[in-house]
Amino acid sequence: MKTTNHHSAPKNIHPRRLRHRWGVDNILGMLSSGVAVVFLGSCSLLPAKTFETRQSDTQAQRQRTIEPNPNIVPPPIFSSSGDPNFVVKVVQQVGPAVVRIDSSRTITSRVPDEFNDPFFRRFFGEAAPQPRQRVERGSGSGFIINSSGQIVTNSHVVDGADRVTVTLKDGRTFDGKVLGEDPVTDVATIKIDANNLPTLSVGNSDALQPGEAVIAIGNPLGLNNTVTSGIISATGRSSSDIGASDKRVDYIQTDAAINPGNSGGPLLNARGQVIAMNTAIIRGAQGLGFAIPINTVQKIAQQLIATGKVDHPYLGVQMVTLTPENKERIKNVAGDRLNITADDGVLLVEIVPRSPASVAGLRVGDVIKSINSQPVTKIEDVQKLVENSKIGTKLPIEVERNGQTVQVAVQPAPLPMRSEG
């Protein structure tokens, strides 16, 4: 039996996946012709500023009177804490609530069907290949959300695991039970048999601003209790922005160093509140880490603890943001077969048979203009509104079809889950 070790997390996203995914091969071919794609490659580096100054320049500076600028304020990390060593205090405060998660699963290789045929058995006999097993091991991070042993981490850290082991900072080790996992948001919950455990206080990820100081704690590459720090680089990065279009998350981008093994660990603010869960990096890039907002993590974790699963609303459409360039390419390829009169909106390029969208009468070529009276201009708008809708409750959708406005009521169903092959 072979054993394979790997650090599960953060998910590597290859730069080639940063292209926008159109979702349908024929439309992809239709639209990709002539598209200029910008990759996150090498950048020009500005020379570092030097602190050496010529003596004449120094004297000239001394002769100037520098007026204070009332608009300049201390960075938030100092104005809120007043302590340049705030990271030390945060780590001391929250470190015991961050855990290491080790998982293992047994993979059995399948013997080709041909070798089960009596004809082949006759020739190979006992020499016929037998199923082989190998054990895959991975490690990641997590943090305690309840003193009675409830822990959150990434779904991909524990996906398919036969055994999960949780190690606390004080060295205690527990067998973990996976309460549930949600691949759509990459959130999972684990339970260990322990009480009076330290927990993290929770911040509000909806109020975050680029430039805020953040701290990441985790177990990158097996190096337990590693601390890195940086800032929030951006908020509201869509899943398609970072090449993870199979997820339904608006990510927080950070330049705090995140490496394999950090996945599932907390991203904290200067007050020691967890504001996100580290989850993804872009392969080959530096300073490009992504985390799931804690408000999303909390909502999903509560459902996983209560029911063991999360149902996401599903329409059954594949779509593309309509732009003048896309419209022109479709016109050149499809000709009169597809009459698109709208200049913006979200174009439906495929309807899944027997899906809620199909039952409601949506068609290929429809351009979504609004959902539940909320205007939409890009696919991310549609994804957010559908995700916030209720399964089984009719969702009014306004589309433009052959120059006419059409009202359609779609009743979202639970998103069918597909196993990764």
Side-chain angles (χ1 to χ4, degrees):
M1 181 181 296
K2 295 184 178 180
T3 299
T4 303
N5 292 311
H6 68 280
H7 299 283
S8 64
K11 282 197 171 179
N12 287 320
I13 301 172
H14 195 280
R16 290 186 181 275
R17 294 186 64 193
L18 292 177
R19 295 188 229 192
H20 183 76
R21 295 184 176 182
W22 307 110
V24 180
D25 292 341
N26 59 344
I27 298 295
L28 173 61
M30 200 180 290
L31 297 176
S32 61
S33 175
V35 175
V37 180
V38 178
F39 293 99
L40 297 181
S42 59
C43 301
S44 300
L45 297 177
L46 297 176
K49 292 184 179 180
T50 177
F51 290 100
E52 297 177 1
T53 309
R54 296 181 183 178
Q55 184 177 1
S56 59
D57 293 340
T58 302
Q59 292 175 348
Q61 290 288 344
R62 288 174 180 170
Q63 294 174 357
R64 297 176 186 171
T65 300
I66 302 177
E67 297 291 338
N69 186 343
N71 296 324
I72 298 178
V73 296
I77 55 175
F78 297 118
S79 61
S80 62
S81 67
D83 182 4
N85 291 321
F86 73 98
V87 175
V88 175
K89 292 184 177 179
V90 168
V91 173
Q92 291 174 344
Q93 171 188 339
V94 308
V98 182
V99 303
R100 171 176 173 144
I101 299 174
D102 292 289
S103 62
S104 63
R105 63 175 178 174
T106 302
I107 307 296
T108 302
S109 60
R110 190 176 66 87
V111 176
D113 293 336
E114 290 82 358
F115 289 99
N116 293 321
D117 189 292
F119 176 80
F120 281 91
R121 288 285 183 183
R122 176 182 173 187
F123 288 96
F124 289 97
E126 296 299 324
Q130 300 297 317
R132 292 187 178 183
Q133 290 185 333
R134 59 187 174 90
V135 177
E136 287 188 348
R137 304 185 188 276
S139 64
S141 307
F143 52 94
I144 305 169
I145 59 171
N146 185 289
S147 61
S148 62
Q150 292 172 349
I151 297 167
V152 293
T153 185
N154 279 140
S155 173
H156 71 264
V157 171
V158 297
D159 184 35
D162 302 321
R163 184 180 181 186
V164 174
T165 303
V166 176
T167 303
L168 306 186
K169 187 178 181 182
D170 61 16
R172 287 183 292 165
T173 300
F174 300 87
D175 286 333
K177 176 184 178 182
V178 178
L179 298 178
E181 51 179 304
D182 179 40
V184 176
T185 56
D186 203 7
V187 175
T189 54
I190 300 172
K191 178 72 170 65
I192 61 174
D193 187 12
N195 292 296
N196 301 318
L197 296 176
T199 63
L200 295 184
S201 60
V202 177
N204 179 13
S205 54
D206 289 341
L208 298 176
Q209 298 291 329
E212 289 188 42
V214 289
I215 304 159
I217 304 179
N219 309 290
L221 302 173
L223 300 172
N224 293 352
N225 310 119
T226 295
V227 179
T228 58
S229 65
I231 62 170
I232 293 175
S233 304
T235 59
R237 293 292 192 209
S238 69
S239 55
S240 58
D241 284 339
I242 71 169
S245 58
D246 58 330
K247 307 301 179 190
R248 292 191 184 181
V249 175
D250 280 342
Y251 294 91
I252 294 167
Q253 180 182 332
T254 179
D255 68 350
I258 297 174
N259 292 284
N262 268 116
S263 270
L267 191 67
L268 306 141
N269 61 20
R271 295 178 293 281
Q273 298 171 321
V274 57
I275 47 91
M277 181 167 66
N278 301 316
T279 190
I281 56 177
I282 293 178
R283 183 182 301 168
Q286 294 183 356
L288 289 175
F290 301 93
I292 304 169
I294 193 61
N295 291 9
T296 300
V297 173
Q298 277 192 302
K299 181 179 71 173
I300 299 300
Q302 288 170 1
Q303 295 180 61
L304 291 175
I305 291 170
T307 66
K309 65 175 184 176
V310 177
D311 286 328
H312 295 274
Y314 161 78
L315 299 186
V317 299
Q318 293 187 350
M319 53 196 172
V320 60
T321 298
L322 188 61
T323 64
E325 294 80 10
N326 290 341
K327 181 178 177 180
E328 184 65 25
R329 293 189 187 102
I330 294 171
K331 181 179 178 181
N332 291 338
V333 175
D336 296 334
R337 290 174 294 169
L338 203 57
N339 180 25
I340 302 174
T341 56
D343 294 320
D344 55 26
V346 175
L347 173 66
L348 301 184
V349 296
E350 184 171 305
I351 307 296
V352 178
R354 297 179 297 279
S355 66
S358 175
V359 172
L362 286 175
R363 304 176 186 174
V364 171
D366 285 350
V367 177
I368 299 179
K369 306 298 289 186
S370 71
I371 296 179
N372 205 17
S373 300
Q374 300 292 315
V376 299
T377 57
K378 52 187 179 180
I379 63 173
E380 289 81 8
D381 297 336
V382 176
Q383 290 171 335
K384 288 179 184 178
L385 291 168
V386 172
E387 180 66 17
N388 291 328
S389 66
K390 293 183 179 181
I391 294 172
T393 301
K394 288 189 176 181
L395 187 66
I397 299 179
E398 179 183 292
V399 301
E400 186 170 318
R401 179 184 298 165
N402 297 323
Q404 303 293 320
T405 298
V406 179
Q407 303 290 338
V408 179
V410 183
Q411 186 170 303
L415 176 68
M417 300 306 296
R418 294 181 299 176
S419 59
E420 295 183 2

